[in-house]
Amino acid sequence: MDRFRAESFIPLTPLAFDILLALAEGEQHGYRILQDVNARSGNAAPLHAGTLYRALARLLEQALIEELAERPAEDDERRRYYQLTERGIAVARAEARRLAAQIATAEARHLLRAPA
Amino acid sequence: MRSLSTLASLACSLALLAYPRAFRARFGREMRADFHRALCEGRGPGTPTALTVLRAAARLASTGLAEHGSALRRWPLFPNHPPHLYHPHGRRAMFWETLRSDIGHALALARKRPAVTGLAVLALALGIGANSAIFTVVNGVLLQPLPYRQATDLVMVWSSNTREQKPVNVVSPANFLDYRDGVTDLADLEAFASFIVSEQLQTDEGPERVLMVNAGPRVFDILGRAALVGRTFAAGDTDVVVLSHGYWQRRFGGDAGILGRALIIGDRPRTVIGVMPDDFVFPYATMLGPDGFTTRTGVDLWLPWVPEGDPFANRGGQIVRNVHYLAIVGRLKPGVTREALESRLAGVAGQLAQAYPSSNDGWGAVVVPLHEQAVGQVRPALLLLLAGVGVVLLMACVNVAGLALAQSVGRQRELAVRAALGAGRGRLLRLLITESVLLALAGAAVALLVVQWGVRALIVLAPSTIPRLAEVEPDTSVLAVTMAVAVVSGIGIGLVPAFTASRPDLRDALQDGGRGAAGGSPVGRRLRAGLVVGEVALAVMLCAGTFLLLRSFTALLTVNPGFSPEGLLTMQVELPDRLTTAEARLAYYDELFERLRALPGVVAAGGTTRLPLGSTSVSTTIDVEGRPRPDAELPEVQFRRAVDDYFRAMQMPVVRGRSFTREDGPASPPVAVVNEAMAARLFPGENPLGRRVRTGPNPSRNQWTTIVGVVGDVRHTGLEQVPAPEMYIPHRQGPPVAPFLVVRTTGNPAELVERLRADARAFDRALALFDVRTMLDVRSASVAPRRFVLLLVSVFGGLALLLAGVGVYGVMALVVGERTREMGVRLALGAEPRAVLWMVLGQAARLAAIGIALGVAAAWLLSPLLASQLFEVRPADPVTFTAAPIVLLAAAALAAFIPARRAMRVDPLVALRVD
């Protein structure tokens, strides 16, 4: 296995980061991720299933997320559940730091105003 | 509402079809569920309508199409997205796992069919091995750099005289000095004698012949090679010698104390100053000028050459300008091109022509890259062989592809099952290619085991005139090329059956296993027939090439050389050093020939200074009485001495006048005999007898010589060479020191050898006798390069014929197998067995005829490439283009005959009971 460097995944696409954020709360199935992302964006640009699963496929391939071998006991729907991997957590942290630094800069340069 | 849900489900199904199959397999169910839930939860204003459903489906579908693009980008080799592409294990692990499983599968398959596998591996080993062997030779001779430092900067400089049809000629010493000094800013030039001389080296055990070349002191520096032991020449060196590694080992056992020893070479002691490394070769025979004194290659020692110390070059303190005998090697200065040097030298030559019109008028200079000079002559022949062997490999591949195709027909069911279980076309393609690459690699492994042996055999077979053969050795580049050839062959072989097999007709194959095995798709059969057509075409090309070369070769051997080579024994002798005067040598010759003629079976004996077909040539300029011309414009003729009864021993006819007699002695007026070519060139329409000529670069210093006879022309430099004007003088008016002797016997000349050697020893132990060969051997050696090419191309042609035959047999056997029932019906209905036979043969002949037509067309187009190897045969030779198709047709008929006979003997009862 080649050496893992979180920086090599940075910057993430907004959608990929959104999915990682959704999974940061714990394992989720696909539709819950969809709902979570749409809720946080205020349904501004609603995500649909095709886009979501394409992004999930990429993240699976990059091993930033993984599929749970077992489903939570209370779940009776035949759904697959996804969770962050160690790599995924590291990459999400790195991306968050990058964005935080940008936000800090934006504040310092008075681009962010407190909502009136 | 219910109808809307049906619409949603339908639209979603359709939209999902836009996705790669594997993607659909993995995420399809969830996507479908999510699609429905999203609709039910009714995002956006209002309840879902048919329009919003369709809009969502369209969005879903467009994303699916985009996914195709990204899958393609990530794995372009397998555009049909194997399932593992979306598998959490990632595709790299899957790649190796698939490979491992494919290899395992291929090995299991090979174990199940050892005969077929063995045959395929053998065919590929043969094809790949032959390629590797020929490539090894091409690599060693043509591709590897010469054993000099930065050999690409090295060139040779020749003088050229287009008016006298000497485009590449040796250089005179004075011209060399002017060339060298005129280009010092462009290149470093140094001269060496354009011939290898043999001298006697005095040892404790008596005299020994050594081969050496006189080279200017800067030669080693220009070539960029230092001595292994000691040093090379320095300016001012005169009585020194540098040994070759081979001679040092052979004669002195590699004794490091050799430095400083004095060797007596000829009559002068010379101090050993150095030994060259093992891989140092200089000069290659091809680097010597057209008029070398020996055809031998390989040098024992190098002596320093300086014009001032050379009696040839320095006459009365004058460096001569009109005697040409030097070769020039040079190193271009950085950034200087060959063209720049050539144009500068053209300027220098122009100035010399103005300053010394009597010797230099019409003379220019040419610059040839050293590599081109060394190996350029053999390039066409070697490339021809490489092309021929390439065709053989191609045919071997086609045959194995045919085999694989036949197998894949039998495997239709297996492949169909795989496809039914979800293997895409690419997956099946990969499986088939893995199998055939494995086959080819196994073939290559077998080939590599024998390539060393094959190369040895090639070197033994090859004529010694091919330069650099000693340097030929399989190396890593040969290994790399072999492997690359194997992989490419394997992929090519795998692609053919994959064409048909990777899209098997599922229903057909699964429904009826029996039919799949016996039948085979029409596409596969047609493809197989196409392969056979291709094979026949390739075989026609190779056969046509073989016939052209064969016809050239036989034409060459039937050329009358101008003398009768049968019953002749030839040898070279070197008279003892004690015979210093002409009188002593003449007396010695008289006694020697007396003894030779007394040998049993000997009818005539003579000698000459240049043996036809067996030695190089030497020429002189000639001044005809009554035709005063400037020295530089004097015509040139080949010059030989006739010793004793030479013309009668060779059976060269005296056409006019007389031959030499004992009366043409030292005291009589000088006489000469000329050949018909010289008579025709110099005295067209006149009687040459009685005309007087003078020879040499300064004819006015020499005596007039009277022409007393005309003899027939002799092919001297080669059977294909038109005879040049030749002039002979009698040995009594200039006895040579080391002539060739020819002895004509009534019996087999080879049986005379031992007797002759014993007699020579009894006569005089100091008489050196070497190179004893029959004239037939000499002639045979003179055509060795052609024979070598012919032999190899014939072998390739034979292999091609065999492979084409096997191909025809294979496809016809398949056809007969398929049509067994039909044949049975025909026979049961009263068809003549003979008619069935002819039907099968006719089908084979149709295939062969198409192949032959294609092959003849291709051979017709390509045969001009052979022109350099042909002699008295046109590339579009009608005999060849009739014979090659006939041979192929016969081979095809023969190959088809076995299955045809089987078809004829089909028992109707058995055939009809098949099901």
Side-chain angles (χ1 to χ4, degrees), chain B residues 215-582:
Chain B
R218 302 246 321 115
V219 155
F220 295 100
D221 292 343
I222 286 175
L223 296 175
R225 293 301 300 266
L228 177 71
V229 182
R231 63 177 178 90
T232 57
F233 300 142
D237 275 342
T238 48
D239 289 333
V240 297
V241 57
V242 172
L243 306 186
S244 77
H245 191 269
Y247 188 67
W248 179 51
Q249 292 291 334
R250 203 162 63 237
R251 187 69 195 77
F252 303 103
D255 176 14
I258 188 72
L259 294 185
R261 279 254 299 269
L263 302 180
I264 298 171
I265 299 163
D267 48 1
R268 279 161 77 179
R270 293 176 184 267
T271 311
V272 177
I273 58 166
V275 177
M276 291 309 288
D278 191 19
D279 65 331
F280 180 77
V281 181
F282 176 83
Y284 289 101
T286 39
M287 286 155 62
L288 299 169
D291 289 347
F293 283 125
T294 172
T295 52
R296 251 174 272 281
T297 61
V299 171
D300 297 323
L301 358 133
W302 293 272
L303 300 186
W305 176 87
V306 279
E308 292 76 17
D310 181 358
F312 262 121
N314 185 354
R315 305 232 173 112
Q318 285 284 103
I319 308 293
V320 300
R321 200 170 284 282
N322 61 348
V323 183
H324 302 84
Y325 69 98
L326 293 177
I328 302 178
V329 64
R331 179 177 288 280
L332 296 173
K333 295 261 158 85
V336 177
T337 63
R338 187 190 69 83
E339 288 76 16
L341 180 61
E342 194 165 79
S343 86
R344 173 74 68 84
L345 281 170
V348 174
Q351 286 165 14
L352 292 177
Q354 286 197 339
Y356 311 99
S358 71
S359 61
N360 275 46
D361 194 29
W363 287 94
V366 290
V367 179
V368 183
L370 187 65
H371 192 267
E372 177 66 27
Q373 181 77 42
V375 300
Q377 285 172 15
V378 297
R379 184 176 295 131
L382 285 182
L383 293 184
L384 172 71
L385 291 182
L386 202 57
V389 84
V391 172
V392 171
L393 175 63
L394 198 56
M395 292 193 61
C397 286
V398 170
N399 255 355
V400 174
L403 267 180
L405 197 59
Q407 282 187 21
S408 78
V409 168
R411 283 171 64 188
Q412 209 80 318
R413 200 178 148 84
E414 174 212 328
L415 297 173
V417 170
R418 281 172 173 268
L421 291 179
R425 191 186 176 118
R427 181 71 195 81
L428 292 184
L429 187 70
R430 188 174 158 194
L431 173 73
L432 291 170
I433 286 180
T434 304
E435 281 172 20
S436 57
V437 168
L438 270 186
L439 267 187
L441 285 177
V446 175
L448 282 176
L449 290 179
V450 294
V451 87
Q452 186 88 13
W453 176 82
V455 169
R456 284 281 131 70
L458 272 182
I459 293 176
V460 170
L461 283 174
S464 57
T465 45
I466 293 186
R468 306 187 73 195
L469 272 182
E471 296 164 42
V472 168
E473 220 171 326
D475 59 4
T476 47
S477 60
V478 170
L479 186 73
V481 166
T482 303
M483 286 303 154
V485 164
V487 169
V488 170
S489 310
I491 292 175
I493 291 167
L495 281 178
V496 173
F499 246 116
T500 54
S502 68
R503 185 167 282 172
D505 186 338
L506 282 187
R507 202 166 38 97
D508 254 21
L510 288 176
Q511 252 173 14
D512 180 2
R515 236 197 93 200
S521 64
V523 181
R525 198 162 54 233
R526 205 165 298 158
L527 196 60
R528 191 121 201 255
L531 287 182
V532 168
V533 166
E535 265 186 311
V536 171
L538 289 173
V540 167
M541 283 167 57
L542 263 187
C543 279
T546 308
F547 282 140
L548 285 175
L549 291 178
L550 186 68
R551 296 214 346 114
S552 297
F553 193 73
T554 49
L556 196 61
L557 282 191
T558 52
V559 164
N560 176 10
F563 59 90
S564 165
E566 292 83 11
L568 264 188
L569 189 67
T570 77
M571 74 212 79
Q572 200 173 358
V573 295
E574 202 168 297
L575 299 198
D577 279 351
R578 63 171 194 275
L579 306 169
T580 48
T581 64

Side-chain angles (χ1 to χ4, degrees), chain B residues 821-832:
Chain B
R821 191 151 29 144
E822 179 205 328
M823 310 267 181
V825 172
R826 280 172 186 263
L827 289 170
L829 291 178
E832 280 284 317

Side-chain angles (χ1 to χ4, degrees), chain A residues 53-54 58 61 67 79, chain B residues 26 30 34 67 74:
Chain A
Y53 285 98
R54 275 190 77 193
R58 283 311 90 75
E61 215 170 85
E67 195 185 324
R79 288 213 163 268
Chain B
R26 181 156 161 74
E30 288 172 271
D34 291 358
E67 179 59 23
R74 283 174 310 139

